[in-house]
Amino acid sequence: MAFIFKNKRLQMSVTPTVPNIVCLICVLILKFISSVSSQCSGSALTLTASDDLTTVTSDGYSSGSYANDLSCSWLIDSGSSSETVIVFINHYDIDASDTIDIHDGYLTSNASLKSGLTGTGNDKEVLTTGQYALVVLTTDSSGQAQGFSLQYVKAADLSGTGCTAEQTLTATSAEQYLTSPAFPSSYTGNSNCRWLIEATEGAVYFELMLSDIESSPNCGFDYLKIYDSSYVCEHTLTVDACTRYPLGNTATYTSNGTSVLVLFVSDATVGYKGFKLKYSAVSSTTTVATQTAASEDTGFALGMGVGVATGVVSTLMFIGIIQIIKSRLQASKLGSPRVRNVLPLQTPTSFGGKTPTGNGHLPNGHILRNGDIPGSQRFSVTSSISSSGNSSRNGRTPSTGHSSPNHSDTQNKNNNNYKRNGVLPTNIGHV
C-alpha cells in the first residue's frame, strides 16, 4: 500500500514502514509533551482569564507527583487593564524544599502576593492590583510531592447602583454579569443591595459562579438570596448562600416567570469577596435548578431537600395506610363471635329394638314421647319450670287455660306435673 501525494509539479509515492510509523508517533508525543510542559521550559505559559472560573494544575498533579529540578511558571492575564485577577489555590502539596510563589504582575521582580508557599493546604486566594498574576513553581532534586490545583477568574465591580436603590436589569440573549459591591475586594459593610433581573420575553437563566460570603448560623450575618419572582416570597426562594469559598454555593437556574429578584445583605463587621453571577434571557420556561455546596451551617441544598421531603411524605403515607388496614383487621377480629367446637348431639336410632320413623312413630303405631327414651340414651339438661307448676315444652311455657297433658307415665308423673326428667327429645316428630 502506498500514499500518493500529488502536486502540479511533483508526484511521489511513499510506502509506510514500521520505522516511519514509529517516528510519526514519537513526533506527535513530543509535540504534546512540549505543549503541556512549555511552562517548565524557561518561559511562562500564558493563560487568559475569563468571566468563568478556570482550573489549572501543575505537571504531574493527576499522577500524584511532579518532577525534580523544575522551574515552571504560568502568566495569567485578565485581558484588560481595568480588570484584575483572582487566584484561588484549591489544593497544594509541596515538598519542604520546594516552593510556590505568586507575583502581582508579569515579572518575578514584581511584588509577591504569596511567597515560599510549601507544605499541604487549600483555600488560599490572592487578588492582583492589575492585569497580571505570575505563578511560579520551583523544585529541587531532593524530594517530590503532588503539586497544586488552582482556579482563576478575571474580576471587576459590576454591582451597578443596586446597593443604593433597587436596580432593574434587562436580561438579553447575551451573557451579562452581576457582582457584590467592591468585587473582587471585600464587600462593604452594612450593604443592602437589591437587583431585579427581567427578561422582555421568555425566562431568566442565571448561574451563580462564585460565592465567598461570611458563614453564620441560618445566614444571620451576611447572605445572598435569589427568588424566582419579582418580590420576596419564601416559596420562591431558590438560592440562600452564606459560606466561604471554596465551600460556597454554586447554582444554575431557569426562572418560571420573566424575572428573578437578587438580594445581598451584610453586617458591619467581616467582609469577603462576595459573589459573581452570570445571567441571560432564554426562551424556555422549564425550571432547571442545581445548587451545590450548600451552606455548611444549614447543610441545606434545595434540590436534595425537595427529594428528601418527597421521600419522607411518601413513606409516611405508606406507613399510615398499613396502620389503617391493620387496625381495621383487628377491629373485625374483635367484633366476630368466638366459635368453639361443639360435639353433635347423639340421636338414638334404636329404642328397644324399634326404630322410629321420620315423624317419630314407632313401627307398632305408638308415638314416641319425651319420657320414652331409654335411660341409657338420656343426658341431663336443666328443665325450665313455669311458675304455674306446668312444665315448659321445648322452651315454651304453656299459656293460661291449657291443661297439662293427660298422659299416665309412672316415670314422669310427680305432683300432677308432667315432668320431663331432663330428657331432651331428639329427632322426634310432633309430641
Side-chain angles (χ1 to χ4, degrees):
M1 180 178 67
F3 294 107
I4 300 177
F5 299 90
K6 292 187 177 182
N7 190 283
K8 290 182 178 179
R9 296 186 179 182
L10 177 64
Q11 292 186 3
M12 66 178 181
S13 64
V14 178
T15 301
T17 62
V18 172
N20 289 340
I21 295 175
V22 171
C23 289
L24 179 60
I25 294 174
C26 290
V27 169
L28 293 175
I29 293 175
L30 289 173
K31 185 176 180 181
F32 175 76
I33 294 175
S34 176
S35 64
V36 171
S37 303
S38 60
Q39 66 270 18
C40 300
S41 63
S43 60
L45 175 65
T46 301
L47 305 171
T48 302
S50 68
D51 285 300
D52 296 322
L53 284 168
T54 306
T55 301
V56 63
T57 60
S58 57
D59 284 2
Y61 182 82
S62 59
S63 62
S65 177
Y66 52 72
N68 289 329
D69 299 317
L70 294 177
S71 180
C72 309
S73 55
W74 297 260
L75 179 63
I76 304 174
D77 181 5
S78 69
S80 172
S81 59
S82 62
E83 295 178 311
T84 59
V85 176
I86 307 176
V87 179
F88 296 95
I89 304 178
N90 296 331
H91 175 255
Y92 64 92
D93 179 20
I94 307 297
D95 185 73
S97 58
D98 305 328
T99 60
I100 297 175
D101 297 280
I102 304 178
H103 300 275
D104 189 9
Y106 57 90
L107 299 173
T108 55
S109 58
N110 292 129
S112 178
L113 298 172
K114 288 290 181 182
S115 178
L117 189 62
T118 188
T120 302
N122 56 19
D123 197 19
K124 302 289 184 180
E125 74 275 351
V126 296
L127 173 64
T128 66
T129 59
Q131 181 176 344
Y132 300 100
L134 180 64
V135 181
V136 179
L137 171 65
T138 305
T139 70
D140 63 9
S141 60
S142 63
Q144 297 176 338
Q146 185 176 9
F148 68 82
S149 172
L150 60 83
Q151 288 182 303
Y152 59 92
V153 63
K154 68 179 183 180
D157 183 358
L158 303 175
S159 61
T161 62
C163 295
T164 56
E166 180 176 300
Q167 181 181 7
T168 299
L169 304 172
T170 302
T172 65
S173 58
E175 293 178 342
Q176 301 178 71
Y177 297 87
L178 176 66
T179 68
S180 52
F183 185 84
S185 300
S186 297
Y187 48 78
T188 55
N190 295 318
S191 295
N192 190 359
C193 310
R194 188 181 182 109
W195 299 272
L196 179 62
I197 304 176
E198 293 183 328
T200 54
E201 60 181 13
V204 176
Y205 169 83
F206 71 80
E207 178 182 350
L208 180 58
M209 305 162 54
L210 173 65
S211 174
D212 184 28
I213 302 171
E214 180 186 10
S215 300
S216 61
N218 300 319
C219 297
F221 299 151
D222 306 339
Y223 61 80
L224 170 70
K225 295 181 184 288
I226 304 178
Y227 297 88
D228 185 6
S229 63
S230 58
Y231 52 88
V232 175
C233 177
E234 290 301 319
H235 297 292
T236 62
L237 181 64
T238 60
V239 172
D240 190 5
C242 61
T243 309
R244 293 296 318 280
Y245 181 88
L247 300 176
N249 301 65
T250 59
T252 59
Y253 191 83
T254 301
S255 67
N256 288 303
T258 58
S259 62
V260 296
L261 181 65
V262 180
L263 301 181
F264 178 73
V265 174
S266 67
D267 60 13
T269 56
V270 181
Y272 295 98
K273 294 290 184 295
F275 72 90
K276 186 172 185 178
L277 179 74
K278 176 168 64 177
Y279 65 92
S280 61
V282 294
S283 58
S284 174
T285 57
T286 301
T287 300
V288 179
T290 304
Q291 179 169 327
T292 60
S295 169
E296 60 189 357
D297 298 298
T298 60
F300 177 75
L302 291 179
M304 186 64 69
V306 172
V308 171
T310 303
V312 170
V313 171
S314 300
T315 303
L316 291 176
M317 290 179 63
F318 179 77
I319 293 174
I321 293 173
I322 295 299
Q323 291 296 330
I324 292 173
I325 294 174
K326 186 176 179 180
S327 63
R328 291 292 179 86
L329 290 175
Q330 290 178 344
S332 175
K333 195 172 188 180
L334 292 173
S336 301
R338 296 184 179 182
V339 179
R340 297 180 180 177
N341 292 330
V342 179
L343 295 176
L345 295 176
Q346 294 183 354
T347 303
T349 57
S350 177
F351 298 90
K354 300 177 181 181
T355 301
T357 61
N359 57 4
H361 291 75
L362 294 175
N364 59 5
H366 291 87
I367 298 175
L368 181 64
R369 300 185 182 275
N370 293 342
D372 295 332
I373 299 176
S376 60
Q377 302 293 333
R378 299 174 184 174
F379 58 93
S380 296
V381 297
T382 302
S383 298
S384 176
I385 307 299
S386 65
S387 59
S388 62
N390 295 322
S391 66
S392 298
R393 298 193 182 194
N394 298 329
R396 295 192 301 269
T397 302
S399 58
T400 305
H402 288 200
S403 61
S404 298
N406 187 14
H407 178 68
S408 175
D409 190 338
T410 59
Q411 287 183 324
N412 301 320
K413 184 184 263 186
N414 187 17
N415 298 326
N416 296 324
N417 290 327
Y418 190 70
K419 191 173 182 181
R420 304 294 183 198
N421 292 328
V423 179
L424 179 66
T426 305
N427 196 23
I428 298 175
H430 177 72
V431 178

